Amino acid sequence: MPTHRLLASLVLAFSLSAGFAIAQSAATPAGLTARDFAREPAIQGLSLSPSGKHMVGIVSPDGDTRYIAIWETANPGKAPVILGAQKMRLMRAQFIKDDRLGVLAQQLFTVGTRATHLSKIYITDINGEKWTPAIPDQRASSEDEEFANKTSNPSVLSSLHNDPKHILVEDTRLDGEGDIYKVDIYRGTAQRLFRGSDKYGSYVPDANGNLRARSYVDYDNGAVFVGLQFLNTATGQWEDHLRSYARDRNLTSVAGFSLDPNIVYLCRREKDKQGIYEYDLSQRKIIGPAFEHKLFEACAVSQDRAGKVLGFGYRADAQRFYWTDEKLAAIAKGLGPALGVTSVSAEWIDPASGTSAKISYPDGAGAYIRDWSDDLKYVLVEKSGPNLAPEYYLLTDGSKLALLGKARPQIPGDALGDSRLVQYKARDGLIIPAFLHTPSRARFGPGPYPGIVLPHGGPWARDDLEWDISGWTKYFTARGYVVIQPQFRGSEGWGDKLNRAGDRQWGLAMQDDNDEAAKYLIAQGLAAPDRIALFGYSYGGYAAMAAAIRPNGLYQCAISGAGAPEIKRFQNQTFESRFLREFQRPSVGGMDVLEKAGQASIPIFVYHGDRDVTVEIAQSERFVAALKAAGRPHRFLAIKDMGHQYNLMTAADLEMQLVEIEKYLTTECGPGGI
């Protein structure tokens, strides 16, 4: 197979000193800039080859350009091999075989009037000498098909650790959606194993790469459901096992396959919190929980390449793992003391039951196992948290711990203040979790401070107490603001009761929860009542638009990034799918802020990327036009070539956001800024 033309002229390999990835620069708190928070990390996304012979990661010496770096694990001080691209942005690199990398690359892509980002997976050797797409390119029969095919991205289903030459790849192109290929990564050829269909998809392989589960959508007396099928290995036939009805909004998914061929791990909601359950294929029933957490949701199983369960993941303050493997559990236990990690305790009230319990979580930063070689000789460790950008360490033979590099050595942790998991009561008594970020008392005193209420996107999402890659929290605490991230009703990941309490409450009770977060800051003496703004992105941008309209007197201004003001438009787009009509209709509803834009009572800054295909920029433009027609104070910024998600934003995009938001807060937010 010939080398892929697009990358053939772009890729180069050269060596730099080890300092390339771990060079440090001095910075004082007073000198921290938006660039310090927005620039590309010096090092990120490290992983090991299966044998542990090599490490790979993304590095950036200048904060703008990304390169792939491959080190010899036994000699991390030796100059790495560096792979770069002139036109494509290198997003991620991971080993799929001991001598082959899977690389996700991205670039701007435009066909006619449609502008977006193109992301593709390529396979290359560790010297970057040959690049091939994950599946061979195919000729499209129309412009629409060409656009869809080029902007789709196949997914690697299995690296087939027992097969030295092949991997499994699922196609996502219009002309081959759902097709499963066995790809020869050395020759660049592909053999189709399964042909995709309109009915069956979402194939799940076991540890050996055998496709043993799939799902489909069908109807039962008019009620749409997702059926889960498993392959009967004795007969070779797919058999129906479980149904999840869309109206119940409780989908069951496969979390993993046990070493016992009859046992499958399912992620499902038997109680208020999701858990991981064992399902017996022969008995066709759930036989009990594999892992549950009484306070938080669990839906991840960590397994080795042979399929042995090593641990279970759950989301508390952030994603945490309970290691069942003795070696990994011992390593995890020893990392905290070795890296100076301390914990903070808190009283936690379960939003569903109201029961109280003690919890603990890392204070500012924790230490986590991120990857390991098959024999556990080498373990990659990350130390990170809300007050510490990731630092990467290599643990060798369970005893030698060495620093590999720091993502943002220019940012000192003592400039960032403090971060805590807190709770407050909503107007109806519902307990609302929140993440509270306060500035350094040594630099800014005890408060009250100017405040920012920062609701997340989604709204079917949640925040975590970890390093904020957007800079939206810590950039502002470093400047003396207090920031709170309310996990308002409708948020996912905190239990079913909190999630369903947000049904059809967009701009209503969901917005009340954001307002109560502002009142919490005032009651705690942390925010000055006349110096509070609400800033949000995506759904949070919608919440900012709603805050500008609702006459609550709490905010001096609102800032909306990529907001969707037309709830009816969102409903129409979402409900084109019969499944989504039943699955999401109960949750989507409330105030259409575009219709009420003329009632805006506070200034609002609206910004949007012009390559956003999730929420098109035209929605913000229509909202701004309505503000202008009504003579309401506003400012609008279109950011050239920026998409919706974080991975579609460059360092320059992030820096512009931080600079423009701060400028607005200090000059146009209320009378004279906050």
Side-chain angles (χ1 to χ4, degrees):
M1 189 71 187
T3 302
H4 189 260
R5 295 193 188 104
L6 183 62
L7 277 146
S9 63
L10 305 183
V11 177
L12 59 151
F14 55 93
S15 294
L16 296 179
S17 68
F20 175 81
I22 61 174
Q24 308 213 5
S25 61
T28 62
L32 284 177
T33 65
R35 169 76 173 169
D36 291 321
F37 288 85
R39 61 178 290 151
E40 292 285 356
I43 184 170
Q44 63 178 311
L46 265 65
S47 62
L48 286 161
S49 64
S51 69
K53 185 177 180 180
H54 290 97
M55 292 183 294
V56 65
I58 302 294
V59 295
S60 179
D62 60 3
D64 292 308
T65 307
R66 295 182 173 201
Y67 299 90
I68 298 171
I70 302 106
W71 295 267
E72 292 181 11
T73 312
N75 301 292
K78 181 182 177 181
V81 172
I82 301 296
L83 309 179
Q86 295 175 356
K87 296 181 180 179
M88 299 195 79
R89 187 183 182 201
L90 298 171
M91 304 302 295
R92 186 174 68 247
Q94 287 184 307
F95 283 96
I96 53 175
K97 300 292 182 186
D98 225 41
D99 62 348
R100 287 295 184 271
L101 295 169
V103 178
L104 179 64
Q106 180 192 100
Q107 71 178 57
L108 300 179
F109 182 69
T110 303
V111 171
T113 60
R114 291 174 292 185
T116 184
H117 294 76
L118 180 151
S119 296
K120 289 293 180 183
I121 294 177
Y122 296 92
I123 310 299
T124 188
D125 58 274
I126 58 176
N127 293 311
E129 294 176 352
K130 182 180 180 181
W131 294 73
T132 57
I135 52 176
D137 289 333
Q138 296 181 11
R139 187 181 302 275
S141 59
S142 67
E143 182 180 295
D144 287 343
E145 191 172 278
E146 179 188 8
F147 183 83
N149 287 349
K150 285 185 177 297
T151 54
S152 68
N153 191 23
S155 59
V156 177
L157 289 181
S158 174
S159 60
L160 298 179
H161 70 96
N162 288 327
D163 185 329
K165 294 183 178 180
H166 298 92
I167 62 174
L168 288 185
V169 176
E170 182 173 9
D171 196 356
T172 58
R173 299 172 301 197
L174 278 182
D175 56 351
E177 186 172 5
D179 289 358
I180 308 296
Y181 289 89
K182 188 175 184 179
V183 177
D184 186 323
I185 60 174
Y186 297 95
R187 298 174 59 196
T189 57
Q191 174 192 0
R192 185 164 53 200
L193 301 180
F194 286 93
R195 184 180 293 275
S197 70
D198 293 336
K199 186 172 184 178
Y200 298 106
S202 300
Y203 286 85
V204 183
D206 62 15
N208 294 315
N210 302 310
L211 299 177
R212 292 180 53 198
R214 69 181 184 183
S215 61
Y216 65 96
V217 176
D218 210 336
Y219 304 93
D220 179 8
N221 291 322
V224 64
F225 67 86
V226 176
L228 187 58
Q229 292 186 333
F230 292 98
L231 183 68
N232 185 321
T233 54
T235 65
Q237 300 298 310
W238 290 96
E239 298 176 346
D240 284 296
H241 278 258
L242 297 160
R243 289 183 177 183
S244 300
Y245 286 85
R247 64 193 177 200
D248 296 332
R249 293 156 61 192
N250 184 13
L251 302 182
T252 296
S253 60
V254 176
F257 291 92
S258 168
L259 291 176
D260 183 337
N262 283 320
I263 302 299
V264 179
Y265 299 112
L266 299 179
C267 176
R268 59 186 283 119
R269 191 182 304 280
E270 292 283 317
K271 305 171 184 176
D272 180 73
K273 309 294 187 295
Q274 277 188 337
I276 302 165
Y277 297 88
E278 293 185 350
Y279 179 78
D280 190 306
L281 293 170
S282 60
Q283 299 184 60
R284 292 177 174 266
K285 70 175 185 179
I286 292 173
I287 58 176
F291 181 82
E292 291 178 315
H293 196 294
K294 65 179 181 179
L295 298 175
F296 302 109
E297 302 212 315
C299 191
V301 180
S302 177
Q303 297 174 272
D304 66 14
R305 294 180 191 275
K308 175 189 173 184
V309 172
L310 303 175
F312 298 97
Y314 63 98
R315 288 185 82 178
D317 58 302
Q319 181 72 23
R320 305 295 178 210
F321 267 89
Y322 174 77
W323 297 106
T324 56
D325 179 81
E326 291 184 1
K327 291 182 179 179
L328 288 173
I331 290 171
K333 184 177 180 180
L335 288 177
L339 292 175
V341 172
T342 58
S343 296
V344 60
S345 296
E347 195 75 22
W348 182 258
I349 301 174
D350 179 24
S353 65
T355 58
S356 179
K358 284 281 188 182
I359 63 170
S360 65
Y361 54 89
D363 188 6
Y368 312 104
I369 297 171
R370 292 306 188 208
D371 198 11
W372 53 86
S373 58
D374 286 345
D375 59 4
L376 285 181
K377 178 179 176 62
Y378 298 108
V379 176
L380 277 175
V381 175
E382 178 184 319
K383 183 181 181 183
S384 65
N387 293 334
L388 182 69
E391 297 178 348
Y392 297 95
Y393 296 81
L394 181 65
L395 179 66
T396 305
D397 294 325
S399 59
K400 183 182 177 182
L401 193 63
L403 175 67
L404 296 171
K406 298 182 178 183
R408 299 187 184 276
Q410 73 276 14
I411 300 180
D414 58 6
L416 303 180
D418 190 28
S419 295
R420 290 287 183 264
L421 175 58
V422 300
Q423 293 176 300
Y424 60 88
K425 280 189 177 182
R427 297 179 189 181
D428 59 0
L430 183 65
I431 299 296
I432 306 296
F435 296 107
L436 175 65
H437 308 279
T438 52
S440 167
R441 289 175 64 94
R443 291 186 60 212
F444 297 102
Y449 315 103
I452 299 173
V453 176
L454 181 60
H456 60 70
W460 309 290
R462 55 158 282 177
D463 294 305
D464 291 292
L465 199 60
E466 57 190 14
W467 179 254
D468 180 3
I469 55 177
S470 69
W472 293 337
T473 56
K474 289 303 171 176
Y475 175 75
F476 289 102
T477 60
R479 277 160 163 67
Y481 291 81
V482 58
V483 181
I484 190 168
Q485 297 174 286
Q487 307 303 290
F488 48 85
R489 69 190 65 210
S491 300
E492 288 189 342
W494 299 100
D496 200 43
K497 181 177 179 178
L498 184 70
N499 175 240
R500 292 187 184 238
D503 286 358
R504 304 188 68 82
Q505 293 299 312
W506 291 37
L508 305 174
M510 292 167 73
Q511 199 72 21
D512 292 341
D513 294 346
N514 295 330
D515 294 349
E516 293 303 313
K519 293 177 182 178
Y520 172 85
L521 294 179
I522 296 169
Q524 296 294 316
L526 294 171
D530 59 347
R531 301 177 70 194
I532 301 177
L534 190 144
F535 159 51
Y537 187 88
S538 194
Y539 172 83
Y542 163 89
M545 294 172 174
I549 291 165
R550 286 170 39 123
N552 52 42
L554 285 169
Y555 309 110
Q556 297 300 106
C557 71
I559 300 170
S560 171
E566 303 165 74
I567 196 167
K568 293 178 182 177
R569 183 181 180 86
F570 181 86
Q571 288 172 324
N572 291 337
Q573 291 175 333
T574 302
F575 299 156
E576 289 177 359
S577 159
R578 170 68 183 276
F579 175 80
L580 290 179
R581 282 203 299 275
E582 292 193 29
F583 185 71
Q584 287 189 337
R585 185 182 291 278
S587 64
V588 182
M591 181 170 67
D592 191 302
V593 296
L594 181 60
E595 295 177 349
K596 299 178 182 293
Q599 300 174 21
S601 58
I602 56 174
I604 182 169
F605 170 34
V606 178
Y607 72 90
H608 213 125
D610 67 2
R611 284 183 182 262
D612 191 334
V613 296
T614 302
V615 180
E616 65 273 21
I617 191 173
Q619 291 204 44
S620 281
E621 291 172 337
R622 286 190 287 270
F623 182 74
V624 168
L627 292 172
K628 184 176 181 180
R632 304 300 179 181
H634 66 278
R635 190 158 74 86
F636 178 64
L637 172 66
I639 301 181
K640 181 175 174 55
D641 290 336
M642 188 176 86
H644 190 83
Q645 290 77 14
Y646 169 80
N647 65 340
L648 304 180
M649 301 177 188
T650 64
D653 295 335
L654 289 169
E655 183 178 3
M656 180 182 294
Q657 290 177 65
L658 295 176
V659 168
E660 294 300 327
I661 291 168
E662 184 185 18
K663 185 189 301 182
Y664 189 78
L665 289 172
T666 55
T667 60
E668 298 180 56
C669 186
I674 63 170

